[in-house]
Each structure stands twice: as C-alpha cells, then as structure tokens.
Amino acid sequence: MAASDEAGVVERIGFSISTVVERWMPSPFVFAILLTYIVFAAGLIATGSGAVELLDFWYGGFWAFLGFSMQMVLILMTGFVIAYHPRVNDHLQRLAEVPNSGAQAAAFVGFISMSLAWVHWGFSLIMGAIFAREMGKVAHRKGIDVHYPLLAVAGYMGLGLTWHWGISGSAPLQLTDANNIGEGTGFEFLASTVPAVETIFHPYALTLTALSIVFASAMLYVLAPSGSRAKGITHYVDEAELFDGAADGGTDAAEVADPVDEPPAGVDDVPAERLNNSRLLGGLIALSGVAVVAYQFLGQGLGAFTLNAVNFGFLFAGLLIYQRPAYYRDRFNEAAGAAAGIVLLFPFFAGIQGIMADSGLALLLAEALLDVSTAATYPVVAWLVGAVANVFVPSGGGEWLVIGPSVLQAAESLGVPYGQATIAYAVGDAHTNLLNPFWALPLLAITEVKAREMFGYAIAMLLALIPFLAVALYAVPY
C-alpha cells in the first residue's frame, strides 16, 4: 500500500498545508516588507494619519530594536558555541538517541523545547534549534524516517506556545516591577504591582502550561510524516557539511582542544601567543563572570532572570568550558554568520511596531475586540487580541506597553482578575509566533531550513491549537 494511503488524517492535512506554504510563503525578509506595506495601508485607512506622518512613525521606530537585536545576536552566538563544544554536544547526541521513530523524535524535541521555554525563551530557542539538528543527524545515522522541517518546528514550539506564560514572560514580569505602573506609565490605574503568584505561578497558568505541552507534543506526534513523505536532514543540509564538525561551530570534534590540554599544535611559542592561549587568563575571568551571575541570583532570586543575565551567563560559561581566549574568539567568528538574518530583519519589524504604536492602530485593533467580550468570554478575547497584535508587532514587551493598559482596564470593568487577563493575552502573543517567522531567524540559521520549508507545519500546529486553546481558556477556572 502507498505511504499516502497509510497516513492518518492529521498527517495528510499537515502535509497538504506544508506543500501549499512551501510553494507560496516568501522569505522572512520579503515577509517583513509585505507586512510593512499592509500595516502602512491599514494605518492610512483606519487611523486618519497621512502618508508622511506614517513614514515618520516608521522611521522613528526603525531603530527601536537595536539593543534587543544585539541581545539576540549574543544569545544565538553564545548558545551556538556552547552547544557545539564536544562535551556539551555529546550530551545532546545521547538525548537524541532516545526516540525510535520519526513521530517520537518530533514529540520529544517539542517537549524539550516547550519545557525549556517556560524557564527562558532565549535558551529554548537556541537549544531547541540545536537539538532538532542533532536529532536529525542521529536519525540519519540510525536510518529512522524523520521529517526534518517538522523537527525544526518542534524546536520552535517553545516560542510558539509556552514562553510568555513562563518565568521570562514579558507581560507578567513587567507587572511585577513598580517602575512600570503608576503615574507616568500606561498602567497608572493599577494601585499596586501584580505579583507573579497571580500570573506565572498561579494554578491557572500552570494548568494551561501542562495541558498545552501534552496536547502540542501529541499533535507533533500525529503530524509526523511517514514513508516517502518524511525527508531527513540530508534533504536540506549537505551531507558532507553535516558530518563535518567545522560546519557545527568549529573544527572537527576530534581536533577541538580540551580545556585541560596544551595549546593546539603549531601555536608559536612566543609571549603574545602564550597570552592568547592562557588558561589562567581565560579561566579567571570566566570564573569571575559566573560568580557575578550566582551573586545576582542569590540576591534577587527569579527577579534576576533577565535576557541580559542569561547572555552574561552564557558568555562566561562558554569561556569557562573553552578557557583559552583565542580559541573562544575563533569559535565566535565561526558562529557569526548565523546572526546575519537578525541584523537585517529586526530594524524592519521595529519600523512596523513604530507605525502600529504611534498611529494608534494597535490600540484600535485591541479595543475593537475587547468591546465584544463578556466576563465569561474575556480570556478567549484577550487571547485573540494578543494573537492579532503579535502578527504585526512581534515583541512581547513592546506590545504589552501599548495594548496592556486596554486589556487590563477591560478586564477590570468585567470583573476579570488582572492575572487571568494577562496570562490569556500572553497565550495569544505566543501562539501567532507560529505564523510570523520573526522569532524563527536564529533557528533557521542553525537548522539551515528555509522559512517556507518549516512554516507549513508551524501553521498546521497553529491551526490545531486554536480549538484546544479556546476551550482551555474558557473552561479552566482561575
């Protein structure tokens, strides 16, 4: 019997969606350009702003992500370098040996990605991407039929589902900071902060997280293509490159200098080179950095869990495992190419955010949806508000500053707790990351798949999650 006849209904639907998207979806850069035109036109029609005024908003917002862009570049490069150290990579490969089928592999990668995203979205994005790549390599070696683009989607599921409800979620964390509420902010109506026990650590959010991870893992399992539909990693990455360690962040694993070894052969025995390869210099500064991170967490607890703290920790953890400054620098040079997409695209999405925020378009969209909600349906409507806004302004923190006040004021008028409203909104903000390739740029760089090759299955997951999330947000009590 043909593979297509043996496939389940969900698998066939997913494959059909993937085929259409692969044919029609443009590159992330062109996606950003088209989205700019759409938002510009919507601003002209809906806000009354003139073309010149909207261009000013676009230009004014264009550089708003510069600091964040550098944060993303660092988290990509540090995660890449650490994960491809031979000792770390060996552990990832051992984990990748666990599944025995393509469906199990997709579900396992998704489970790891979504679980890590609850801890920190940046860590999940990089480790999910690297784990998907390693799973593809192991499956190729073992002769397991896996569909590599679905593995990439599984590695991305943390950003597409659980990150904004976890301990690095932008909206919940902003409400815990007294500097973000009160007079002079958009949240001046709040009498006090909203503690994390009412959002991230509330049983409502924890229940949604657990149910969502189980459901999404099951969907990845049943979506997994079988037989001739499954295209392994060598369909997308050249086999010669794939099993050459130099393509994975450095020289071949066998040639990587272990931190306890002497400098690599051929290093000139001169003072400058001895300094460049000094384990003492590298080790001391690395230990100092790790000590600073430990001190921050001891003093502030989870409050120290910021993107800067993660980047700082990754930077010095990497130096600690490589130790030799020159060698660590060389590994960074080899990882730099993966960051090119971030450098190019982030300013364009920042420009879109400038139009959405400064023209009032984002607020109009939110208020139009919130006006039709009731106390019972409010969590579902807040989810839709976050989902729609995120398509055009894919920055959780930036969105929340613009739309969050309207979301919470509507919740207050309906008697819905602030914590429930915030988490419901956060669910939507994460959900449509499965449509917009903005956050997938680091993952695309690491896995070497094209956006159109993986986003068919990302959109299939987005659609599969809609009825589940609607029912869960409506039915799970706060």
Side-chain angles (χ1 to χ4, degrees):
M1 185 178 291
S4 59
D5 295 329
E6 296 173 355
V9 174
V10 175
E11 180 186 331
R12 292 200 301 271
I13 292 172
F15 188 82
S16 298
I17 294 172
S18 176
T19 301
V20 172
V21 172
E22 187 169 347
R23 180 176 175 82
W24 287 99
M25 186 175 185
S27 71
F29 185 37
V30 174
F31 186 93
I33 292 172
L34 292 174
L35 204 57
T36 301
Y37 286 129
I38 292 170
V39 171
F40 189 86
L44 285 173
I45 296 168
T47 69
S49 301
V52 174
E53 190 177 14
L54 290 174
L55 285 172
D56 283 339
F57 295 152
W58 183 56
Y59 178 75
F62 212 76
W63 308 114
F65 287 176
L66 279 182
F68 183 61
S69 298
M70 186 60 183
Q71 289 175 319
M72 287 300 293
V73 167
L74 274 176
I75 201 164
L76 168 61
M77 293 175 65
T78 55
F80 199 90
V81 169
I82 290 174
Y84 280 113
H85 186 282
R87 291 180 177 177
V88 178
N89 193 241
D90 181 59
H91 291 299
L92 289 177
Q93 290 175 349
R94 289 179 184 177
L95 273 179
E97 296 281 351
V98 173
N100 294 312
S101 71
Q104 290 178 14
F108 189 43
V109 172
F111 177 83
I112 295 296
S113 171
M114 289 182 284
S115 301
L116 288 177
W118 190 87
V119 177
H120 196 278
W121 65 265
F123 187 59
S124 167
L125 179 60
I126 301 307
M127 294 305 293
I130 293 171
F131 191 40
R133 184 179 172 106
E134 290 306 310
M135 185 70 77
K137 291 169 64 175
V138 170
H140 176 75
R141 176 173 53 78
K142 293 171 67 175
I144 296 174
D145 288 335
V146 299
H147 192 55
Y148 188 53
L150 184 62
L151 290 183
V153 172
Y156 185 57
M157 280 306 301
L159 268 289
L161 193 58
T162 54
W163 84 269
H164 211 160
W165 331 350
I167 59 179
S168 66
S170 302
L173 289 182
Q174 285 182 3
L175 294 178
T176 66
D177 188 346
N179 293 322
N180 293 328
I181 67 171
E183 189 175 351
T185 72
F187 298 96
E188 65 275 350
F189 57 90
L190 292 179
S192 63
T193 58
V194 180
V197 293
E198 295 181 18
T199 54
I200 298 167
F201 298 108
H202 193 279
Y204 177 74
L206 296 175
T207 301
L208 285 172
T209 301
L211 291 174
S212 296
I213 290 175
V214 171
F215 179 83
S217 297
M219 288 307 304
L220 287 166
Y221 185 93
V222 297
L223 271 173
S226 56
S228 61
R229 296 177 185 271
K231 295 181 179 179
I233 192 170
T234 53
H235 282 80
Y236 304 91
V237 185
D238 183 75
E239 189 167 359
E241 172 194 344
L242 187 64
F243 295 98
D244 174 9
D248 290 337
T251 55
D252 191 273
E255 299 173 3
V256 173
D258 191 278
V260 300
D261 293 335
E262 292 303 314
V267 171
D268 294 335
D269 189 21
V270 297
E273 289 301 330
R274 287 199 295 270
L275 284 172
N276 289 341
N277 289 279
S278 170
R279 287 187 290 115
L280 180 62
L281 285 177
L284 281 177
I285 194 68
L287 287 172
S288 299
V290 171
V292 168
V293 173
Y295 176 78
Q296 294 291 323
F297 277 90
L298 285 173
Q300 301 178 44
L302 293 178
F305 219 116
T306 65
L307 184 54
N308 283 337
V310 170
N311 272 330
F312 191 89
F314 270 35
L315 188 66
F316 286 95
L319 184 56
L320 186 63
I321 63 174
Y322 281 99
Q323 294 193 356
R324 306 186 190 283
Y327 201 81
Y328 192 43
R329 178 206 61 208
D330 290 343
R331 303 291 73 74
F332 259 76
N333 290 345
E334 291 159 357
I342 293 173
V343 176
L344 175 62
L345 264 75
F346 273 40
F348 282 87
F349 278 103
I352 293 170
Q353 176 169 290
I355 297 174
M356 291 284 292
D358 294 342
S359 70
L361 185 59
L363 202 55
L364 285 174
L365 286 171
E367 290 175 347
L369 284 168
L370 294 172
D371 284 345
V372 300
S373 65
T374 65
T377 62
Y378 183 83
V380 177
V381 174
W383 158 55
L384 293 175
V385 169
V388 172
N390 185 61
V391 173
F392 301 99
V393 190
S395 169
E399 277 173 49
W400 183 247
L401 290 175
V402 176
I403 299 174
S406 295
V407 171
L408 295 190
Q409 284 177 314
E412 185 178 42
S413 67
L414 293 170
V416 176
Y418 290 143
Q420 184 179 18
T422 303
I423 291 300
Y425 173 88
V427 171
D429 174 75
H431 186 200
T432 44
N433 282 341
L434 293 170
L435 176 63
N436 191 329
F438 176 79
W439 289 111
L441 290 173
L443 179 137
L444 295 173
I446 291 169
T447 59
E448 297 187 63
V449 297
K450 296 180 175 66
R452 63 183 176 85
E453 292 169 341
M454 69 167 273
F455 265 83
Y457 279 100
I459 292 170
M461 286 297 296
L462 180 145
L463 295 173
L465 285 165
I466 288 175
F468 165 78
L469 291 175
V471 171
L473 289 166
Y474 183 83
V476 173
Y478 184 81

